[in-house]
Amino acid sequence: MMEKVIRNYLEIKSLEELIKVEKPNTNYNLEKISSYDYQLNKFFYKQIGKNHKWIDRLSWTDKHWIKYVSNPSLLTFVLKNKDDIAGYFEIIYHKDKFEAEIAYFGILEEYQNKKLGSYLLSEAIKKSFDKNINRVWAHTCSLDHKNALNNYMARGMKIFKTETVII
């Protein structure tokens, strides 16, 4: 079965443009995870992606995952509620272009619709600007969470490209 998907690419060019969201409460914290902990990236990709048709990495071997997370240009952050994991994001730095890509981003199903996505995206953008970059970009599509595009735009990101693809 063929499906039409609308993909939007968004960007933000300075930290001053970010519309920040404060931490919902003190139970939540954000942790950068070790580049050797590929199992967390793999877990989040599968758990969050199963509802949004993330399929490109499903065939990856553990060796492929290890190579991916070992890339020094990749940083992964995990949102925790006390000791429970709630969500994550991956940032890929493209140093040659002075930009960062929020490559993957999501909240586990049991933590959705609690305003955590707004906070997590705000933090992803802030962390992205920690390096000497001129732009942060991401993409989202019509298969993602129904609030995804609105969340990106509410944080100050602007659409710079839209495309329609058939999957």
Side-chain angles (χ1 to χ4, degrees):
M1 182 176 154
M2 307 267 266
E3 185 173 357
K4 183 171 89 169
V5 176
I6 299 169
R7 185 179 301 142
N8 289 291
Y9 294 82
L10 302 102
E11 67 185 354
I12 187 167
K13 294 188 175 180
S14 76
L15 198 52
E16 291 74 35
E17 294 175 18
L18 172 62
I19 301 165
K20 297 176 186 162
V21 174
E22 297 300 317
K23 187 189 304 191
N25 66 52
T26 57
N27 289 340
Y28 291 97
N29 62 13
L30 193 63
E31 293 180 12
K32 181 181 171 291
I33 63 168
S34 165
S35 62
Y36 302 106
D37 199 357
Y38 75 96
Q39 291 288 2
L40 261 177
N41 293 69
K42 184 177 177 180
F43 168 80
F44 278 118
Y45 180 85
K46 287 181 173 184
Q47 288 303 306
I48 293 168
K50 69 182 175 188
N51 294 327
H52 306 292
K53 297 187 182 175
W54 294 358
I55 59 170
D56 55 319
R57 296 182 181 179
L58 293 178
S59 63
W60 281 15
T61 63
D62 284 351
K63 192 174 186 177
H64 197 135
W65 277 103
I66 291 166
K67 181 180 178 188
Y68 175 74
V69 300
S70 298
N71 179 346
S73 297
L74 175 75
L75 295 179
T76 303
F77 290 84
V78 173
L79 179 65
K80 289 188 170 184
N81 177 17
K82 296 183 181 173
D83 292 328
D84 293 337
I85 55 176
Y88 89 126
F89 59 85
E90 296 176 0
I91 302 169
I92 300 174
Y93 287 98
H94 303 281
K95 294 175 186 166
D96 57 324
K97 297 178 182 178
F98 297 96
E99 64 185 29
E101 172 188 358
I102 301 172
Y104 283 89
F105 170 91
I107 302 288
L108 293 172
E109 202 167 4
E110 58 269 30
Y111 285 97
Q112 290 180 2
N113 302 313
K114 297 180 180 190
K115 305 291 182 193
L116 293 173
S118 301
Y119 166 70
L120 190 60
L121 182 56
S122 180
E123 291 300 303
I125 293 168
K126 285 194 313 193
K127 295 289 185 196
S128 295
F129 276 110
D130 279 352
K131 309 270 186 199
N132 184 26
I133 61 162
N134 299 322
R135 169 175 105 120
V136 176
W137 67 276
H139 72 273
T140 188
C141 74
S142 52
L143 298 174
D144 288 337
H145 189 277
K146 63 181 179 173
N147 297 330
L149 181 59
N150 289 338
N151 187 21
Y152 284 103
M153 295 177 73
R155 301 290 69 75
M157 297 187 88
K158 294 177 177 47
I159 296 172
F160 69 91
K161 178 181 168 183
T162 299
E163 63 187 7
T164 301
V165 294
I166 306 296
I167 61 165

